[in-house]
Each structure stands twice: as structure tokens, then as C-alpha cells.
Amino acid sequence: MHAPRSTATTRTAARRTTARRTAVLAAATLLALSACSSQGATGSGKPAELTEFTPAATGQLDHATWNLPTGEPLSLDPAKAGDYSPSTVVSNLCDPLLRLHADYTYGPGLATGWTWTDPTTLVLDLRQDVQFWDGNPMTSTDVVASLTRQQDPATRSVNADALRHVTAITADGPHRVTVRFAQPDQLFVKALTNGFGAVGEASYLARAGADYGTPGGGLMCTGPYRLGEWKAGESIGITRTGHYWDTALQPKVKDLTFRFITDPATLTGALLSGEVDGSYEIGTATARALARSSAGTLYRGASAQTVFLTPTGPDSPLADPRMVQALQLVLDRDALIRNVYDGAAQKLKTFVPALVRQHDPAAATYAAGYDALPPVPAPDPDRAREILAGAPNGRLSLTVAVAAGDQQSLQTLTFLQDAARRIGLGIEIQQLQPAQLSGLFYDPTLRQGLDAVIVLGYVELPDPSSYVQQMTDPGSLFNWVGYRNDTVTTALGEARAAADPTEAAEAFNRAQAAFAEDLPIVPIAAPDERMFLNERLSGAPATFAYVNMPWAAYLGGTR
């Protein structure tokens, strides 16, 4: 699940260093933010331009240090790497069959091409010059083992839904794999761009078993870097392989060390001092400090991230669309984006950011469907009060969960809390330790006593329907309210099956028009990606696509 799951497992990884904060502190922080200048993160007073790639690196470096601001990964098994920290590391270790690009398009990776020989038969042609870190060649046997292990529930693959319609995966020669489906499934191809499509050595996978991806079990992949020493609670080291198959993308940094600094103030100090060379996912407070320094450059890139409020079950007041409408009408998104995100975010009509669709072959069709949706509503407290008066259960309070230590989400909730109070709606903010918040996404008993969760998620695949399906499909683990709309389900199924991009976009638009009206979710904002590089580094992509592309292979010295 690349929506609720993203917040959940991310915050779990931060469990060792985050501390419980109070809503009083959040309110004080928000007041301070409101008093600050409304300038963007650049400090110029003008909207910052979004960057796709930082200037190309020219120099070699022996070592660089990178931070994982959401904490230490629980696993580096690509099948389980569906979140910020693990994906930031794994994307440089384990190449997938298809490669995601910085603009969210995709192309050949370990597979040189893919062909639908008929509507339910897909043939993958593999590169013949790829070696694992141990020097063994990659063959179709490794690909079949990597994909089929995710059919086993014991693997706990976060992308197992990609196999929903698969009936067989077979090796047809040393460098060809055939996948057969019960029905057409174009989404399968796009799923090959992330950890689902990553290839591990079959014999190593068999030996490591459940320990694969752990400090003790290790990895055996084909990426530009190999896994070095993993010091639990302290750091993860990776080292360039020296025989990477992609001759156009040879790493310039020999050794890269990942740190796990989750406290914003500590991270700010480490970046300013040069103790840490760079980081993705820079928060607003840190961005302000970095923008005023000469230690390096703060970049803003397009993002596939989204922030929204979702109910925890069918009995939640937020499961009533009228409550959603009322909250929509009290939320001043312009002020929120200005004060909480320093302008580094976009308003959204739904919860699928533009980056996911804007470079698709059918981008114009997707854009037309989005433009046809009703506009983001302007604040209208009087109308919100009228809607609340008609709520059937008369309950005018919500208990909303947020991860302790997630300052930006806490500030967002405090902003919404203050606005809702003006129409007689109470919002109680309940901060949960990251492990507890993570658990509630999968264990319904942990959602008891909660009405909603603020979610910081992202669309991982270059396809908008992949994200929506996780919250609207009647059988989805994350459809907590039992949402069912046959128009949405049918249209998303048609989008998944459509071989023609325009037909897929038209089907998605039909679904979007329906779920935008009745799905009980409150879209809040789509944050931009913020990344910092100190003055000795350059080359890395600045967009959110970094989570599934070998971004560190682009990194290098500035001289």
C-alpha cells in the first residue's frame, strides 16, 4: 500500500529517536510559522522552480554520507521495501527489470524489452551482460525466483497485488521469461519498476530464506552498489561494485554511508556542519535554515507524495461524506501551504499528484479528466455549519492519529483543528509511537478509539489507478470503511486491463469523477520534494522518483 503504508512503516523506522510531543507545542510552532515570512524555501519571495536533476557531477569521491530522515530500515529485502528509508537504500543495490526515470516515465532496465504476444501473455527479454555482485551471471532462473517468491504469503511482499491476475511465470531459455495472466493486466508491467521487479540471485534467495534483507542475511543483487556493513541503530554502508552493467551510469562515489537522524534540529546541524553531505525529505524548519546558509544547495523537485485525512472505519464520523465536505470547507489550503510548507506544496482536488500522470502518453487525457473535477473549495464556514447540522449521528468530534515526531503532519492537524473549532467541530490529536501507528494500518483492533489518521503517502508506480485501487477496491486491506462504488471498481478494472494508454486514462477519469464525489477522504496537499546537497556534491535527481531509481549512481563531486 503506497498510501497509508508509506506513513506507517516510515514512522516505524524512526521509532528509536522520536519523542512524544504535545498539541500545545504544535500550536506554538504553528503560531511561529504564521508569524514568519510567506516567502518560499528559497527566501526570494518568488515561487521556487522545480528541478529534475542537479548539475551533473564531474569529480570522483572516496566517501559521502547521506541521511535517512525517516529512520533505520526494518529490512532491505526489495519485496518489503515499500517506504522511504528502505527504498532510498535498495534503489541503489537491487536493479528492477524496468527502470523508473526522474520524470516518472520508465524504460528498459534488467529487461531490454517487453512484448505482449497476446492480451494475457507477456514476454520479458533480459540483458545478457548482467552480473550479480559475486560475479555470477543473471539469468531467467533468477528472475522467476525473484517474482514467484512474492506469491508466497510468508515473503510478505508489499507489492503482492501485482500478481493478482498471474497464473504462471516461466523461464523460456536463459534470457527470456514468460508471464501468463488470467485476464489482461497492464499494471503488472509498471510494477516491474519498483521493488517488486528487483532481481536477486536465486541460489542466494534460497539460502537466506526469511533472513534475506536483514543485517545477518544480506542481499545479492545487480545494482551499482553492493551492501557493506550494516551497524544496527547506527549506519548502513554501501560500496560501488566496479562491474556495473550500465556503462553510462558508473558511480563516482566509492563508498556511501547512510545515517538515521530523525530529529529535525539534529539533522539541520549535521547538514550545516558537513557531518552529513545530503538528504531527501527535508522538512520546512530544516529547509529554512539551509536556505539561509552557504553550506550547499536546497533543491525542490516534483513529487508523487500526498497528504490526506482518512477515516479508520465505517463507524467513524468521517466515513460520512457530509463530514468530509464540512472539513473541506473549513480548510484554508493556501494559508496551510504558505505557513506549514513554506509554499513547497500544491493543492489537490483528489489525492493523486500530477507527477504520476503528467508525462504519461495519455497525459492530456488525464489532465482533461482532472480539470473537469470541481475546484478545490474556498473556505466557507457558514456552509460547513449547515452541512454539520445535517449529520445523522450528531457527533461533532474526531480523534485523529499522527506519528509522534512527524512535525509537519502535526502542524497540519493543528491548523485543521483550529479551523474546525470555529464551526463547532472538535478534533483531538492523538500522537502514537511509530510502531503503534504502523500496526494500526494492518491490525483493525489497533484502530479502536480512533476516528481518522493523517496520511503522508506516495504513488510509487507511474500509474494513477494503482494508488486509487488500494483505497477503493472492496477487497483491499486499506479500504477500512467498506467503500463500494461499482462504477469506480469497474472503471479501474478497465484501466488496469487497457493496452491503449488513452483508453486506460479515459477509464481512470470515469472512476475519478465518481470517487472524488463520494470517497470519504480529505485531500490536504501534495508536498514538493526537498533535497539538500552540500557544496562538494552534485548530480543526484531532485524528484521523488529517487525512491525507485539508482540515484546515488548519479552522485559525485563538484570538482
Side-chain angles (χ1 to χ4, degrees):
M1 173 63 178
H2 299 97
R5 190 192 67 224
S6 295
T7 296
T9 42
T10 291
R11 307 312 170 199
T12 301
R15 65 195 181 282
R16 294 183 177 87
T17 53
T18 53
R20 192 175 185 85
R21 286 171 170 66
T22 65
V24 173
L25 175 60
T29 303
L30 185 60
L31 288 174
L33 286 174
S34 299
C36 290
S37 166
S38 61
Q39 295 177 351
T42 58
S44 65
K46 299 178 182 178
E49 293 186 6
L50 298 184
T51 300
E52 187 170 291
F53 265 96
T54 60
T58 56
Q60 301 283 325
L61 289 174
D62 286 335
H63 182 263
T65 301
W66 201 265
N67 191 55
L68 303 177
T70 55
E72 181 175 6
L74 299 179
S75 172
L76 292 180
D77 181 347
K80 301 171 185 175
D83 206 355
Y84 295 88
S85 286
S87 293
T88 302
V89 181
V90 171
S91 59
N92 299 290
L93 301 175
C94 301
D95 280 328
L97 289 160
L98 301 182
R99 177 173 287 173
L100 188 68
H101 301 147
D103 62 358
Y104 252 58
T105 59
Y106 63 97
L110 295 179
T112 59
W114 59 98
T115 305
W116 290 94
T117 57
D118 63 53
T120 57
T121 305
L122 174 69
V123 174
L124 301 169
D125 292 309
L126 309 179
R127 295 187 64 92
Q128 301 183 30
D129 57 351
V130 178
Q131 293 181 344
F132 290 102
W133 303 329
D134 60 7
N136 291 329
M138 183 198 75
T139 70
S140 55
T141 299
D142 304 300
V143 174
V144 172
S146 299
L147 294 176
T148 56
R149 70 185 286 259
Q150 298 180 78
Q151 292 177 313
D152 183 354
T155 301
R156 292 181 291 124
S157 171
V158 296
N159 295 299
D161 184 68
L163 295 159
R164 176 187 296 196
H165 301 308
V166 172
T167 58
I169 303 176
T170 57
D172 299 328
H175 298 104
R176 176 169 289 186
V177 171
T178 298
V179 185
R180 292 180 172 83
F181 302 82
Q183 61 188 69
D185 189 354
Q186 294 292 322
L187 193 58
F188 180 89
V189 171
K190 297 173 183 178
L192 298 177
T193 62
N194 72 355
F196 171 74
V199 179
E201 189 175 47
S203 58
Y204 193 101
L205 287 168
R207 288 196 305 272
D211 290 332
Y212 192 68
T214 66
L219 295 166
M220 187 54 63
C221 292
T222 66
Y225 285 87
R226 60 177 174 82
L227 181 62
E229 186 175 12
W230 184 345
K231 300 177 181 177
E234 181 180 336
S235 65
I236 294 174
I238 64 175
T239 301
R240 66 185 176 197
T241 63
H243 56 78
Y244 187 44
W245 60 266
D246 190 344
T247 57
L249 191 60
Q250 299 299 308
K252 292 181 172 61
V253 178
K254 180 181 177 182
D255 296 304
L256 189 63
T257 299
F258 292 97
R259 299 278 305 280
F260 317 134
I261 303 174
T262 60
D263 178 71
T266 304
L267 175 58
T268 300
L271 291 170
L272 289 173
S273 69
E275 176 187 350
V276 172
D277 292 307
S279 179
Y280 288 103
E281 307 311 324
I282 299 294
T284 297
T286 299
R288 284 177 174 155
L290 295 174
R292 294 191 296 267
S293 80
S294 58
T297 304
L298 180 67
Y299 294 94
R300 274 175 57 183
S303 178
Q305 298 178 91
T306 180
V307 179
F308 57 90
L309 204 65
T310 184
T312 54
D315 295 329
S316 166
L318 194 62
D320 185 337
R322 285 170 289 192
M323 181 69 77
V324 173
Q325 293 171 13
L327 284 175
Q328 293 263 43
L329 288 168
V330 300
L331 185 58
D332 187 339
R333 290 171 177 79
D334 290 327
L336 174 71
I337 289 171
R338 182 172 61 250
N339 292 326
V340 174
Y341 295 95
D342 258 7
Q346 317 299 323
K347 292 189 291 187
L348 279 181
K349 297 179 180 180
T350 62
F351 51 94
V352 179
L355 176 63
V356 181
R357 54 178 169 78
Q358 65 187 11
H359 298 295
D360 188 274
T365 303
Y366 281 116
Y370 183 80
D371 291 344
L373 297 176
V376 176
D380 189 345
D382 292 336
R383 176 58 184 148
R385 289 189 194 93
E386 292 176 6
I387 293 172
L388 280 183
N393 58 20
R395 185 175 156 202
L396 298 178
S397 64
L398 290 172
T399 300
V400 184
V402 65
D406 183 356
Q407 294 183 357
Q408 213 149 254
S409 293
L410 187 58
Q411 291 162 8
T412 298
L413 274 182
T414 306
F415 194 100
L416 182 61
Q417 180 187 53
D418 181 62
R421 186 182 297 118
R422 298 172 190 169
I423 62 168
L425 176 62
I427 294 180
E428 177 186 348
I429 300 173
Q430 189 168 131
Q431 297 186 68
L432 304 180
Q433 291 304 313
Q436 185 180 1
L437 187 73
S438 176
L440 69 81
F441 281 85
Y442 303 93
D443 183 350
T445 65
L446 297 179
R447 297 196 288 270
Q448 294 178 2
L450 298 171
D451 299 310
V453 179
I454 187 168
V455 173
L456 171 59
Y458 58 85
V459 187
E460 187 165 7
L461 303 185
D463 186 296
S465 65
S466 65
Y467 196 56
V468 173
Q469 197 165 43
Q470 297 180 61
M471 286 165 281
T472 62
D473 191 293
S476 173
L477 179 64
F478 302 102
N479 183 357
W480 297 339
V481 299
Y483 174 82
R484 188 178 190 95
N485 184 316
D486 291 342
T487 297
V488 174
T489 302
T490 300
L492 290 179
E494 292 172 355
R496 183 167 184 163
D500 179 75
T502 300
E503 291 181 8
E506 289 172 345
F508 174 80
N509 287 345
R510 291 195 295 274
Q512 181 177 244
F515 72 71
E517 182 176 348
D518 63 5
L519 182 65
I521 282 179
V522 181
I524 295 174
D528 296 335
E529 180 55 48
R530 286 190 284 203
M531 182 259 278
F532 179 78
L533 290 176
N534 72 17
E535 59 185 358
R536 75 189 192 105
L537 289 176
S538 194
T543 76
F544 188 76
Y546 80 87
V547 294
N548 282 317
M549 60 184 291
W551 60 268
Y554 295 90
L555 196 64
T558 54
R559 53 184 178 273

